[in-house]
Amino acid sequence: LVVTGGASGAAAVWDARTGERVAALTGHADRVTGAAFSPDGAWVATASADRTARVWDRATGTPRPFVLSH
């Protein structure tokens, strides 16, 4: 799996073998500046120029019920 972020404020998880998008991670108000998988691959953390960080369920794209903000 590969995670990408973009200027639209969305990130996505992709199957590297097939090129298919596995999950869409939408909710940031500005571009996604960083993204990483948890060590077990179950979660994705994203950081945004909107000064927030979010944690997502990798399989479903559902955000955790909190947002970290600076």
Side-chain angles (χ1 to χ4, degrees), residues 1-3 13-14 22-23 25 36-45 55-61:
L1 298 174
V2 176
V3 61
V13 177
W14 304 87
V22 177
L25 313 174
F37 289 103
S38 63
D40 65 1
W43 302 96
V44 175
V55 178
W56 311 83
D57 182 304
R58 191 256 324 145
T60 66

Side-chain angles (χ1 to χ4, degrees), residues 11-24:
V13 177
W14 304 87
D15 182 316
R17 282 183 265 184
T18 66
E20 181 180 343
R21 187 175 69 185
V22 177

